[in-house]
Amino acid sequence: MSSPLLEVTDLEAGYGPINVLHKLSLRVDRGEIVAMIGANGAGKTTTLMCLSGVVKARGGKIVLDGKDLVADRVPAHNIVKLGLAQSPEGRKIFSRLSVLENLEMGAFTRSDKDGVKADIEKAFVMFPILRERQHQAGGLLSGGQQQMLAIARALMARPKLLLLDEPSLGLAPQIVVQIFDVIKELNKQGVSVLLVEQNARMALKVAHRGYVLETGRITFTDKADVLLNDPRIRAAYLGE
Amino acid sequence: MPELFAQTDVAGFEQYLLLGLVVGSLYALIALGYTMVYGIIELINFAHGDLFMLGTFLALSLATWVGVETVTGQGNAAIAATVLVMLVVTPLACASLNILTDRVVYKPLRNSPKLTVIVSAIGVSFIFMNLGLFWKGATPVRFPDLIPDNNLIAGTGLAFTWKDLMVVGVTVPAMIALTLFVKFTPLGKAMRATAQNPTAAQLMGINVDRVIAATFGIGGALAGVASVVYGLYIKSVDYQIGFQNGLYAFTAAVLGGIGNIPGAVLGGIVIGVVGELSKAYLGAKWSEATIFAILIVILLFRPAGLLGARVREKV
Ligand SMILES: Nc1ncnc2c1ncn2[C@@H]1O[C@H](COP(=O)(O)OP(=O)(O)OP(=O)(O)O)[C@@H](O)[C@H]1O
Ligand SMILES: [Mg+2]
């Protein structure tokens, strides 16, 4: 048995005087898609930002590939190099950089120019519209295209673990389907995924396992199909 | 500038235009420091003009230390070497001081309300000004007149001296270098990315603190270059020049679209030209009023400045 790719134990985090996450524990095994669902303000984004080092953990452990990011005080700018990349909520595209430059920024920590070039090509194959628009400013893309760019940009770091924060938010249904197909495909290629979604049904359908987050605490966790059939989850998150 | 020329004097007009371009490129160089820092941490660094003033004092002292204070009795090589020393040491010192100020004053306030940081910047401005006052006293100090005044385009009816050439010859390459740097180097791209979205920049693995420090460094260095050029051009400096030149440069940055690098250059040129033309045709006492009137009119029609926010952010 290899150790989990990501193991979070008793994570505490918050803003100012307020604690948002309370002893949050979760795990992502190698090769898994793990979904995290929860209501508005539950702390999903805070969790991901903590993993990326943008929000500082106040306690607990974040062990990524055997390294404790909290105990070792790994700064945000070194976490990408350890194999973790994020496509953030709201996409956060560099709006005045071109699509191509956005992708280059995703590879900021890499020095293998040829590898980066090859990966840009891969991104263009995955999302052909990005090739067409490569010289346009990121801010001029539509919402769906920006989401594709945000995912492609995160992949440019060649992460072992990809964090996706609400990739379906505000997108047309057929685009959502396309995005989720990409997530499945990436996972087949070996990328582990931690997927945060309001669209719980879609998320649990692609995921292997899931966590339910309520006001900063994990209240349920199980195999995704078990969660999908749990009457409490169905009532609270699947609109039934 | 003497008000000798009648308004119909075409040669006069061209002359003032030329002069405006020269002076404007100086404002542009200072404006870049405002605009870059604003672009990256949304701080209006009120101390920037005073950093420029300290730069002129340092350049002046350098000339004294190397013993080249007038052209008389000096070979061209000694003069060139002195100017070169000024142009290397002053920007380095201004860059270091700017980075240090950020590290000591602004960085601890990174998560404080913007107003707190701005008030601190005003405080730093006063500290710098008082340092200057302490260093060289209250009366204007003569800056070594090392660059000759002979007209390089005699016979055209216009004047363009070695001094003018020096200003253009230093400021234009500096601005081109900056533009290329920001456009093409990894650090330059990281600066633009950080300015546009610091959180996303962190998620890319960019060391945002280092990028901010580099921005203060580059802005400071440009102020240092401007201070040498200013001293050699105007030949007189005092502890208050940071205020007026800083104000013009800041205005230039706003006019061009604060946070926008080409905008700062354009704004500097516009202010230089408008300033010189209004001095010539309306009288020196109207020049500031004209500059700010034009600023207000432009901002009424283009609130983000001439080149500001060309791409609308999509949410
Ligand atoms: N920068 C911040 N400063 C202060 N409080 C914040 C900040 N960001 C989030 N919060 C608070 O922390 C709590 C958790 O927010 P978070 O964004 O992590 O929730 P979320 O589960 O991602 O919600 P959503 O589904 O709306 O994206 C909320 O109460 C929110 O108001
Ligand atoms: Mg969220």
Side-chain angles (χ1 to χ4, degrees), chain A residues 49 52 54 76-77 80 86 88 91-92 94-97 101 104-106 108-109 137 139-142 146 153, chain B residues 183 186-187 189-190 192-197 199-208 259 309 311-315:
Chain A
M49 284 302 177
S52 286
V54 173
H77 58 92
V80 179
Q86 179 177 169
R91 301 147 200 149
K92 297 200 183 340
F94 301 115
S95 55
R96 277 163 285 141
L97 296 190
E101 286 172 325
E104 286 170 3
M105 294 322 296
F108 187 76
T109 54
L140 294 175
L141 300 184
S142 73
Q146 288 195 0
R153 186 181 63 176
Chain B
K183 185 108 186 83
L187 180 57
K189 287 183 191 180
R192 285 190 288 148
T194 305
Q196 291 171 35
N197 197 320
T199 305
Q202 274 184 294
L203 293 177
M204 303 298 111
I206 292 171
N207 185 342
V208 168
V311 174
R312 291 250 310 280
E313 317 252 335
K314 260 194 195 150
V315 217

Side-chain angles (χ1 to χ4, degrees), chain A residues 38-63:
Chain A
N40 280 75
K44 304 179 298 293
T45 298
T46 305
T47 306
L48 296 196
M49 284 302 177
C50 234
L51 298 179
S52 286
V54 173
V55 171
K56 293 281 162 266
R58 292 173 174 176
K61 284 188 191 178
I62 301 175
V63 180

